[in-house]
Amino acid sequence: MRLTPALLAAVAAHTVAATASSCKTYPGDAGWPSERQWGALNKTVGGRLIADVPLAAVCHDGPLGAYDAAACADVQENWSKPWIHQDHPSSIMSPLFTNRTCLPTTDASVPCTLGYAPEYVLNVTSAADIQAGVNFARTHNLRLVVKNTGHDFFGKSTGFGALSLWTHHLRSVEFLDAYRGATSYRGPAARVGAGVRVTDAYHAAAAVGRVMVGGEQPTVGLAGGFTAGGGHSPLSSKYGMAADQVLELQVVTADGVLRTVSQRENADLYWAMRGGGGGVFGVVVSMVVKTHPDTPVATMPLTFASNDTDAYWQGVRAFMELSPKLTERGIYTFSAILASSFSTQPIFAPDVSVAELHKLLKPLYTKLEKLGITYNATATQHPNLLSAWEAGFNAEVTGIYSGSVSRLVPQSIFKHAHPTTSMDTFMDVFRTATDTLGYWAGFFIAPSHTVGGALSDNAVNPAWREAGLHALAGYLIPENSTAAEVAALREKYTVDVFQPVRDVTPGAGCYQSEGAYSEPNWHQAFHGSHYARLAAVKKSRDPGSLFYADKGVGSEEWTVSDGRLCKASSY
């Protein structure tokens, strides 16, 4: 057959069409919805469709708005605080994932663009709004993202050219005195909307003498990516992960259907959406979780330091070796471990008295005294969880450029029972890594299957069930770093610095919500042996990949280039 110019043109046109259809649809593409179609969606959702404008646009003169001195001063003053980002339709707390195209500035002539922020935001107030957004995105092949507060450090709640579902105002909390559902659990529970934050949950529960398993930070969204990713908590040593509390969910799936998800209905989703990661399987409207009795809580900001580095590290080791005794009692410890100082921020001991806490820590006190290390161990008894939480934890600094690395360290190392790694070996590696990283946030928690109970048969990373320490370290990224420089820094810390930590914790993993963005073999590290089953659920429930989350289940089938989400060439 002769290849005529007309035939070649037809082949080329078919190739271009195939290439275009392998990507999501973006502004300027032929398939991008018309103004009339966007208007129809806006009418369907009662006028709550928002044309996105970045939070810091008030600091710039340009097509997205005019410079406003007072508003800009407010943004600059509060940029590092989470509240300003949670209350904005699209702003997220980690600006690195916005492509840094509209930041606070004192020079109003600097251009401001949307960057990797969504094109439109749907301010959700009902399940019907979510269904309308899901159906619109699927029909028009749009990228779809979900944001509650923007407390996300993988950029999952933002995306170039996307339609965003802003669930922040689904804030209802309903207490159920005698829940009876699909699980064997019978007892008190709470139904929480997708926009409920940890601070909302803790305050509401305290008012009725109950507690919920939530995060440490107030702006964490309880029913979103936190629980979907597993969700570690100051209560995890006592009651398990947040995912272990979920009794049922209301979810809008990729076909736009509102479904009840439980052990009895849509059991595949019930398993996957409790630990398999957020933004992947569907949009949560609400969930029902177990509640527990409120109790007094003892807290302690234990601190010690020494210029004698060998003695100091013996003190750190003594705390690590004692930590299994603490977690067995349901105690959680958030610690800051530096090269010569150790501090807990705090030790958090629910249903434990100050006297008992001191008794549990007595072996550590004795060791520190023998080492000649001065320590401070002042404990406080709080009447309930809310009081202890408000006194013990501060809101994180936001709006900074940073990366992280983390590992779930098996508790068997601290018990001298690990099959391959001795405590001596682990301490040598941990200490060496500290010299480069400078700082560890050490979460001493043990959310085993025993603690999590029957509902811990879920998609939470199996490494959590063996862990005694979630070791997290961060590093700063210079603000003016190029994309190549950011990638090089990630490679340095993730591989060059952190690989020895992986080597002494073989087969473990890390917490996907606080892991390294460039984590090697992330499928195993984030999900362990669960990944194949999760991928099968994803294929079954979202065959068209409406839902995408960077480093989420199924994301290996996609690539992102200049913000555009396209099918990987091998798929």
Side-chain angles (χ1 to χ4, degrees), residues 101-348:
T101 56
C102 192
L103 300 172
T105 178
T106 56
D107 183 357
S109 67
V110 173
C112 165
T113 67
L114 281 176
Y116 292 168
E119 195 77 14
Y120 286 94
V121 177
L122 199 167
N123 183 9
V124 170
T125 60
S126 68
D129 290 344
I130 295 176
Q131 291 175 284
V134 164
N135 289 332
F136 189 86
R138 187 187 63 254
T139 299
H140 296 282
N141 189 37
L142 304 181
R143 183 169 178 183
L144 183 70
V145 298
V146 182
K147 181 204 169 188
N148 175 8
T149 67
H151 187 114
D152 168 48
F153 303 107
F154 265 50
K156 293 180 180 179
S157 53
T158 194
F160 166 66
L163 171 62
S164 176
L165 304 179
W166 189 28
T167 62
H168 190 51
H169 296 110
L170 297 177
R171 302 277 276 275
S172 63
V173 179
E174 176 191 3
F175 289 95
L176 311 171
D177 293 334
Y179 173 84
R180 296 181 65 85
T183 71
S184 61
Y185 177 79
R186 299 290 183 268
R191 186 183 305 277
V192 297
V196 171
R197 304 162 301 169
V198 162
T199 185
D200 304 320
Y202 288 169
H203 278 86
V208 295
R210 307 296 293 178
V211 298
M212 294 185 228
V213 175
E216 170 206 310
Q217 287 295 305
T219 57
V220 168
L222 186 65
F226 169 70
T227 296
H232 73 78
S233 165
L235 293 174
S236 284
S237 292
K238 190 171 181 66
Y239 298 122
M241 303 290 279
D244 301 339
Q245 318 305 311
V246 179
L247 299 165
E248 65 179 69
L249 306 99
Q250 291 290 304
V251 177
V252 176
T253 47
D255 54 6
V257 176
L258 175 64
R259 302 180 188 275
T260 296
V261 172
S262 69
Q263 281 186 340
R264 185 181 300 124
E265 300 177 75
N266 303 294
D268 58 335
L269 286 174
Y270 180 67
W271 177 82
M273 296 188 73
R274 295 176 301 131
V280 172
F281 301 103
V283 184
V284 174
V285 180
S286 65
M287 67 180 186
V288 179
V289 296
K290 292 190 289 185
T291 66
H292 304 277
D294 207 350
T295 65
V297 179
T299 63
M300 177 190 291
L302 171 70
T303 62
F304 62 86
S306 177
N307 292 325
D308 182 339
T309 55
D310 287 338
Y312 165 72
W313 281 106
Q314 287 183 59
V316 174
R317 174 174 176 155
F319 183 87
M320 290 182 173
E321 291 174 328
L322 180 63
S323 64
K325 294 293 185 183
L326 302 180
T327 58
E328 284 170 13
R329 189 60 181 85
I331 294 172
Y332 158 101
T333 301
F334 173 41
S335 62
I337 307 172
L338 285 72
S340 60
S341 69
F342 176 97
S343 62
T344 65
Q345 304 173 351
I347 296 174
F348 194 93

Side-chain angles (χ1 to χ4, degrees), residues 409-549:
V409 179
Q411 193 174 69
S412 58
I413 293 177
F414 305 146
K415 293 181 174 181
H416 299 266
H418 193 273
T420 61
T421 299
S422 70
M423 191 64 184
D424 288 341
T425 299
F426 176 77
M427 289 305 301
D428 286 345
V429 168
F430 191 85
R431 179 175 173 176
T432 299
T434 308
D435 290 338
T436 303
L437 294 167
Y439 170 91
W440 288 98
F443 301 82
F444 291 89
I445 41 181
S448 66
H449 280 299
T450 300
V451 170
L455 297 185
S456 67
D457 179 13
N458 53 32
V460 168
N461 189 341
W464 268 115
R465 306 308 184 180
E466 307 297 327
L469 168 64
H470 166 37
L472 169 67
Y475 55 90
L476 293 176
I477 296 173
E479 289 190 17
N480 295 322
S481 298
T482 64
E485 289 168 338
V486 171
L489 275 173
R490 284 172 171 163
E491 180 78 7
K492 170 188 173 182
Y493 285 101
T494 303
V495 178
D496 298 346
V497 175
F498 208 70
Q499 188 56 44
V501 179
R502 294 189 192 90
D503 292 341
V504 297
T505 54
C510 53
Y511 180 40
Q512 58 184 292
S513 299
E514 295 173 338
Y517 182 78
S518 51
E519 179 69 33
N521 191 18
W522 61 265
H523 306 78
Q524 185 281 326
F526 294 166
H527 301 287
S529 58
H530 290 329
Y531 192 79
R533 183 177 173 186
L534 287 165
V537 175
K538 173 69 172 174
K539 282 283 189 184
S540 171
R541 292 295 188 159
D542 185 18
S545 294
L546 175 66
F547 301 118
Y548 167 86

